[in-house]
Amino acid sequence: QVQLVQSGAEVKKPGASVKVSCKASGYTFTGYYIHWVRQAPGQGLEWMGWINANSGGTNCAQKFQGRVTMTRDTAISTAYMDLSSLRSDDTAVYYCARDHGWGYWGQGTLVTVSS
Amino acid sequence: QAVVTQEPSLTVSPGGTVTLTCGSSTGAVTSGHYPYWFQQKPGQAPRTLIYDTSNKHSWTPARFSGSLLGGKAALTLSGAQPEDEAEYYCFLCYDSTWVFGGGTKLTVL
């Protein structure tokens, strides 16, 4: 069965970077895009960007340009989202999700940014 | 960046019908925006109900349906159940970038 399993919770200081992983299984990893979405506490969903797991090409929301890097390792069917220059308002649950129907989501990774 | 608008909150009676809508600041929502609808309950990850305007996943209850209505994307719930109380998010594509609506809190009461 299709699964997306994300890395565990992180606590970071302002100005630091965080890298969240999303390990896919149960399907051909390179056949789909992986999207990243975040949700701050008590807030709505916010789309961050996508990575083409085949080509490695990416696209992200204007808000995150210059601060987010999305990569993948096809050998281990894993996508990564790296967010730099963290601020307190980056505290959120970060999700990965598979394209084409968005039927599969990771369980979410809580990133807390606090001094 | 485009702004996607949804009703902040709606209430429906058990067994009743309600339509949630999704508008775009750029004009009419079309099938080219590939409208999605997600349901999210407290403490849970979102769950996709509708994709590409009106397509359902195997887990989507038959009482949910998606459409285009009056220049907006619409999610209609016919025969509301208590377990349908949740936050619902619309999601639209704009030339390879995507934007969520602010969400509609649906109360079944």
Side-chain angles (χ1 to χ4, degrees):
Chain A
Q1 73 282 21
V2 175
Q3 279 193 301
L4 298 175
V5 178
Q6 298 182 224
S7 49
E10 303 261 13
V11 179
K12 296 292 183 179
K13 293 195 183 300
S17 296
V18 69
K19 191 169 188 173
V20 179
S21 67
C22 172
K23 182 170 178 58
S25 61
Y27 72 96
T28 302
F29 178 68
T30 51
Y32 296 84
Y33 288 30
I34 293 288
H35 290 252
W36 291 92
V37 172
R38 75 177 187 180
Q39 186 170 37
Q43 302 301 308
L45 300 173
E46 182 173 31
W47 179 77
M48 299 182 70
W50 54 252
I51 181 166
N52 179 332
N54 184 37
S55 69
T58 62
N59 187 32
C60 71
Q62 189 172 13
K63 172 178 181 176
F64 299 104
Q65 286 176 6
R67 257 200 335 135
V68 72
T69 303
M70 290 171 286
T71 57
R72 92 286 189 229
D73 184 338
T74 58
I76 57 172
S77 300
T78 300
Y80 302 93
M81 188 283 299
D82 195 315
L83 186 62
S84 63
S85 302
L86 289 169
R87 307 183 289 256
S88 58
D89 62 357
D90 290 317
T91 294
V93 176
Y94 290 76
Y95 295 101
C96 62
R98 195 188 79 168
D99 203 349
H100 284 283
W102 285 62
Y104 302 97
W105 291 66
Q107 80 278 18
T109 296
L110 175 61
V111 175
T112 302
V113 182
S114 174
S115 54
Chain B
Q1 176 176 294
V3 176
V4 177
T5 55
Q6 299 182 243
E7 298 86 359
S9 64
L10 290 170
T11 300
V12 62
S13 300
T17 296
V18 64
T19 296
L20 289 66
T21 67
C22 173
S24 171
S25 62
T26 63
V29 176
T30 70
S31 59
H33 291 99
Y34 306 101
Y36 278 68
W37 290 94
F38 302 96
Q39 178 193 65
Q40 189 179 33
K41 297 181 180 179
Q44 297 183 16
R47 181 174 76 148
T48 310
L49 293 178
I50 300 289
Y51 63 97
D52 294 351
T53 306
S54 58
N55 293 295
K56 299 181 184 182
H57 284 290
S58 58
W59 53 80
T60 305
R63 58 185 180 273
F64 288 97
S65 62
S67 64
L68 295 175
L69 196 63
K72 296 184 177 182
L75 177 70
T76 299
L77 171 57
S78 303
Q81 301 297 310
E83 61 265 30
D84 298 328
E85 185 161 296
E87 193 83 23
Y88 292 83
Y89 293 95
C90 168
F91 190 46
L92 300 179
C93 180
Y94 298 86
D95 292 332
S96 296
T97 63
W98 293 79
V99 181
F100 280 100
T104 296
K105 181 173 176 55
L106 181 66
T107 301
V108 181
L109 190 59

